Structures are given as structure tokens and as C-alpha cells.
Amino acid sequence: MSILFDVHPVNPQPRLLKQAAQLLDNGRLLAIPTDSSYALVARLDDKTAADGLRRLRGLDERHHLTLLVRDLAEIAKFAKVDNAQYRLLKNATPGPWTFILEATKDVPRRVSHPSRKTIGIRVPDHPVTLMLIEELGAPLLSTSLIPEGDDMPLNDPDEITDRYGHALAGVIASGSCPTQPTTVIDLTTATPTIIRRGTGDPATIGLSE
């Protein structure tokens, strides 16, 4: 059964997030709150993490997984970014956006899209998420916690525990978070393409639908 971590949403307790990070270090999966919705997360460098996340969500290898990183500088380590893309990312991060970008060699091949060699990447605007990344010392591999066959993510920690407790090492409860996933924008096309409309309003970063 998974552990329920009751973490303060503004001033997270380092002790609890250290314990959660240790579970990730041991190759386990967690459900965590973000500035969009709950997400399933694992260590990026865990060889079985991508398979575990996809299996739990019922996804195939063509579905983009997302890297949760600490800041704009860290995006450039895992994604190839030109000047125009950088300006958009600077305007949009941190926030409820996932950007599809060409992956660098620092992204394991098993994680990136098999044919396009792209990856989803974002900088979340949530104290708990950011502190967990900091505690782990590495990006989190993630996907929105949307049950197979549903359109909306789960956002109740108790419901998540009841439904996925057998497969998750822990669930972080930290107050309410939005009930929509991120807005997904493909930056590998000639002009930015909105793939999914979610929490982020494209107009606020200068994009039209």
C-alpha cells in the first residue's frame, strides 16, 4: 500500500520530501500535485520508469512523457532550443505548460518519442514539485494522472491511493490543485502548434489558437 505524505503547499516539510525522494531513488513511482493537476512521476534515469508510467496510464510508446525540471537553464540540457523557442520559454516558465522539443543526448532513448526523438518538458510553478526535484537532484519523468479511458485527471489524494495504491510507493497530499492538465505546445513545427488546451491560456504567452 502506498504512503500518504501530508505536505504543506507553501512551506513543504523537507523531511517528508526527502522520504519521498528516497522512494524515487529506489525505483518506485509517486503521485504528486503540480500547478496543473496530479502527475505520476519517477526518476528519469530509472530503466523501468517509462514502462511503469505508461503501463499505469495505459499509454503506448508514442505518447510523449514529460520532464519536470527546475528552471529554464535546465531545459537547455535536455532539449535543443533555438533563439525564438528560448524567448517563448522564458515568457512562459514557470507555469502550466508542456512544450514538445527535440531531445538532446541526455534524454534516454527509451523516454523520447521513438520516431520523432522529441520529449515533453516543463518547469512547474508549485513549491512542492520544485522542492521534490531539488531534493532528488534530477528531473522527474512524468505524465498527467488521467485514468485510462477518462478525459480528466484525478485530483483527490485518497481516491488516488484507493485506485493506484497497489502500484504507487507514495502519494503526496498538498491541498487542492487544478483539475486540468497542462496546455501542450509543439515547438518543433514551423510555428508553435497547440496540441492540447489545458490550464494555460495560450493568449497569455502571445499565442493564438
Side-chain angles (χ1 to χ4, degrees), residues 152-168:
M152 300 298 291
L154 296 179
N155 272 298
D156 182 88
D158 291 328
E159 183 180 359
I160 293 169
T161 301
D162 290 343
R163 187 159 183 170
Y164 294 108
H166 64 287
L168 298 174

Side-chain angles (χ1 to χ4, degrees), residues 51 103 116 187 208:
D51 289 342
R116 298 180 60 198
L187 295 185
S208 57

Side-chain angles (χ1 to χ4, degrees), residues 92-139:
T93 57
W97 313 91
T98 297
F99 297 98
I100 306 300
L101 291 159
E102 184 180 353
T104 67
K105 59 181 177 59
D106 289 294
V107 177
R109 293 181 64 183
R110 63 183 175 273
V111 170
S112 61
H113 191 283
S115 59
R116 298 180 60 198
K117 310 307 178 190
T118 49
I119 187 70
I121 196 162
R122 84 181 193 95
V123 181
D125 188 15
H126 194 293
V128 173
T129 317
L130 291 170
M131 185 178 284
L132 181 61
I133 297 170
E134 189 69 35
E135 187 64 48
L136 189 64

Side-chain angles (χ1 to χ4, degrees), residues 5-171:
F5 295 96
D6 189 7
V7 176
H8 193 279
V10 178
N11 298 300
Q13 302 93 317
R15 173 182 58 86
L16 296 180
L17 293 186
K18 184 182 290 292
Q19 294 173 9
Q22 184 60 55
L23 294 175
L24 294 170
D25 270 330
N26 292 338
R28 306 297 299 279
L29 305 180
L30 298 179
I32 68 168
T34 74
D35 54 328
S36 57
S37 63
Y38 262 86
L40 297 170
V41 299
R43 278 190 68 99
L44 172 61
D45 58 1
D46 189 290
K47 291 184 178 180
T48 62
D51 289 342
L53 292 178
R54 289 187 176 113
R55 185 168 52 250
L56 205 58
R57 278 282 317 275
L59 305 171
D60 63 31
E61 63 178 5
R62 294 182 300 277
H63 182 90
H64 277 102
L65 297 176
T66 297
L67 301 187
L68 303 180
V69 299
R70 286 173 281 198
D71 52 35
L72 186 60
E74 203 165 41
I75 289 179
K77 176 178 173 60
F78 298 99
K80 298 177 182 179
V81 179
D82 64 25
N83 289 337
Q85 291 168 339
Y86 181 85
R87 287 192 293 271
L88 178 59
L89 292 169
K90 186 176 181 180
N91 189 36
T93 57
W97 313 91
T98 297
F99 297 98
I100 306 300
L101 291 159
E102 184 180 353
T104 67
K105 59 181 177 59
D106 289 294
V107 177
R109 293 181 64 183
R110 63 183 175 273
V111 170
S112 61
H113 191 283
S115 59
R116 298 180 60 198
K117 310 307 178 190
T118 49
I119 187 70
I121 196 162
R122 84 181 193 95
V123 181
D125 188 15
H126 194 293
V128 173
T129 317
L130 291 170
M131 185 178 284
L132 181 61
I133 297 170
E134 189 69 35
E135 187 64 48
L136 189 64
L140 290 168
L141 184 63
S142 75
T143 183
S144 300
L145 210 174
I146 303 173
E148 186 174 4
D150 289 356
D151 296 323
M152 300 298 291
L154 296 179
N155 272 298
D156 182 88
D158 291 328
E159 183 180 359
I160 293 169
T161 301
D162 290 343
R163 187 159 183 170
Y164 294 108
H166 64 287
L168 298 174
V171 177

